[in-house]
Amino acid sequence: MARINWWNIKLDVEEQEAVCRAIATKHIAQGEITEQFEEAVSRYLGVPYAVAVPNGTQALSLAYMALGIKFGDEVIISNRTFVATAHAAMILGARVRVVDVKENQTMDEELIEGEITKATKLIVPVHLNGVASNMDRILEIAKKYHLEVVEDACQALGSRDFKGRYLGSMGRFGCFSLGLAKMLTTGQGGIVIAHNQEDYDLLRKIRNQGVFDVRKENTYNMQAYNFKFNDMQASIGLEQLKKMKQKIQRVREIYKVYQESLSKYLRILEVNEEEVPMRSIVVDKRVKSLKKFLEERGIGSAYDIPSLNYCRHLEIQGDFPKSDIFHNQMLILPSGPDLEIKDVKEVCVNIKQWLEGY
């Protein structure tokens, strides 16, 4: 049996031809194709503006910078997120305060108010694995305390909440990742969405050393960086975006097979009808044994991200009992929008064999 990888996504002939066209027509650096991609993403998400950047971490950094996050400020985030959510704030000199999660691995919004101080400027809900945070309640808290909200939707492109709203489209800014292990990939890449012209212009200036066009402007009067995208990656993104409907359908099919085959024996992390389960995840105390068993049979799997309180350099204090469950007991089963259903069924057969012999 050929190896079944833990993550499965491919770039087909359409993406290959698009990159060749971009190179042949000298669309290499950030230019017209990047603008087309940004417009296509904004239409897809139903928002006015989208800004492409090199990766999801820089998407978060760009959003934080646009809000003026600086040394001494505090940012409230979920304890269950990739460390980039914290690093993007810390590199600006801000301090992160974290809250524990609920049973669906999203930020427990009822713990937020207990972490708010005079230095708090921002709340960052994380829609981990395409599962929606309670945005109505989070936005209510933010309004009460005059705070901004940036959505970390890096793992949630195409996913909606129970009201049908795209995750990442409800805060002041929404951030997405286009990395390899995402629903839509450009190899590396990120997106920041905005809702008004002023914010859009600010994002574009910060992305490009403080100006819209370095060839046409010679006045620099703000601190900014080089967060530019490029047309070769954008050409891939345009082709990938055309396939989002099929991608979403496939990951839902994969999730359904795992759920129907294994949920009597193992906890499969739940999603609602509108959420897109980017990865199919088992939560069980026996995951180390399961991972070893699958690996011996040529089936890949992956432990998930560490909870932030286990990242020692963040110096986070406190107890996070719900986070500990996910930190210690999560395993990502073979997933991804190009995984064959026959391979999913093969994984399930092997897991049932493991269960019989455990």
Side-chain angles (χ1 to χ4, degrees):
M1 183 183 76
R3 180 174 175 82
I4 301 173
N5 295 320
W6 82 270
W7 181 254
N8 298 264
I9 193 168
K10 58 185 178 182
L11 302 181
D12 284 319
V13 64
E14 297 90 352
E15 287 86 357
Q16 296 167 29
E17 290 177 349
V19 172
C20 289
R21 284 195 302 272
I23 295 172
T25 57
K26 299 183 180 179
H27 288 92
I28 297 171
Q30 181 177 291
E32 294 177 11
I33 301 178
T34 297
E35 291 178 2
Q36 293 169 18
F37 178 53
E38 291 170 335
E39 290 169 3
V41 170
S42 64
R43 285 195 303 272
Y44 177 79
L45 294 172
V47 296
Y49 306 105
V51 176
V53 295
N55 53 60
T57 307
Q58 291 186 8
L60 290 161
S61 298
L62 182 57
Y64 296 171
M65 290 173 67
L67 293 173
I69 300 301
K70 62 185 185 305
F71 182 83
D73 291 340
E74 291 185 351
V75 176
I76 296 175
I77 62 179
S78 170
N79 191 46
R80 288 295 300 162
T81 184
F82 185 47
V83 71
T85 316
H87 284 168
M90 294 172 65
I91 202 168
L92 299 175
R95 179 189 176 202
V96 294
R97 300 179 70 92
V98 304
V99 299
D100 205 0
V101 295
K102 300 183 294 187
E103 294 296 333
N104 66 357
Q105 208 185 184
T106 65
M107 172 186 283
D108 188 339
E109 63 277 2
E110 299 309 323
L111 299 177
I112 292 174
E113 290 185 274
E115 294 298 325
I116 294 174
T117 72
K118 292 181 179 179
T120 305
K121 296 295 190 297
L122 175 64
I123 304 171
V124 186
V126 182
H127 307 300
L128 205 59
N129 198 44
V131 178
S133 300
N134 184 348
M135 287 304 299
D136 287 337
R137 178 65 178 132
I138 291 169
L139 290 168
E140 178 185 346
I141 294 168
K143 183 178 180 180
K144 177 180 176 181
Y145 291 93
H146 307 290
L147 304 175
E148 296 289 355
V149 174
V150 170
E151 292 176 78
D152 182 340
C154 285
Q155 292 188 2
L157 185 61
S159 198
R160 304 173 188 249
D161 70 1
F162 73 100
K163 292 185 176 180
R165 302 172 296 188
Y166 277 112
L167 306 186
S169 70
M170 292 168 271
R172 175 76 175 270
F173 298 112
C175 300
F176 301 87
S177 172
L178 308 176
L180 186 61
K182 299 295 187 295
M183 284 291 293
L184 184 155
T185 185
T186 57
Q188 283 286 353
I191 294 285
V192 184
I193 66 96
H195 298 280
N196 60 67
Q197 185 74 47
E198 183 179 2
D199 281 347
Y200 175 58
D201 288 345
L202 180 58
L203 292 172
R204 290 168 61 213
K205 284 185 175 182
I206 296 173
R207 176 177 66 176
N208 194 31
Q209 305 293 6
V211 297
F212 292 121
D213 191 331
V214 296
R215 293 175 296 277
K216 297 179 180 178
E217 303 172 59
N218 60 7
T219 301
Y220 297 82
N221 54 21
M222 64 184 297
Q223 183 175 342
Y225 294 93
N226 178 356
F227 290 159
K228 292 196 294 291
F229 202 54
N230 70 71
D231 280 4
M232 294 179 291
Q233 288 177 286
S235 67
I236 296 172
L238 282 167
E239 296 302 320
Q240 285 271 294
L241 197 56
K242 294 174 185 176
K243 302 175 182 179
M244 277 299 287
K245 184 176 180 180
Q246 301 98 295
K247 288 171 176 285
I248 289 172
Q249 182 178 345
R250 173 56 60 85
V251 296
R252 283 179 170 156
E253 290 172 356
I254 292 167
Y255 176 81
K256 184 177 180 181
V257 173
Y258 282 133
Q259 187 78 353
E260 291 180 348
S261 299
L262 302 175
S263 60
K264 292 181 181 178
Y265 319 103
L266 298 166
R267 179 187 169 194
I268 306 296
L269 194 62
E270 294 184 5
V271 297
N272 69 31
E273 293 180 357
E274 295 291 336
E275 294 165 347
V276 178
M278 186 181 79
R279 298 165 180 168
S280 293
I281 293 173
V282 166
V283 184
D284 191 280
K285 292 180 179 179
R286 302 166 290 179
V287 292
K288 290 184 179 179
S289 169
L290 175 56
K291 188 178 192 312
K292 182 174 183 289
F293 181 92
L294 293 175
E295 188 62 38
E296 290 169 350
R297 283 150 183 79
I299 298 172
S301 61
Y303 296 126
D304 204 20
I305 55 174
S307 297
L308 295 187
N309 63 301
Y310 287 99
C311 300
R312 279 188 261 176
H313 67 292
L314 301 183
E315 298 181 343
I316 293 168
Q317 305 296 318
D319 296 321
F320 303 89
K322 294 286 181 63
S323 294
D324 282 349
I325 294 171
F326 294 109
H327 176 88
N328 294 314
Q329 300 182 23
M330 280 185 64
L331 187 69
I332 303 170
L333 298 180
S335 302
D338 289 302
L339 178 62
E340 298 289 339
I341 296 300
K342 65 177 178 61
D343 288 337
V344 181
K345 292 179 178 178
E346 181 66 28
V347 175
C348 292
V349 167
N350 278 270
I351 290 177
K352 287 180 179 178
Q353 291 176 356
W354 168 77
L355 285 163
E356 289 172 0
Y358 187 81

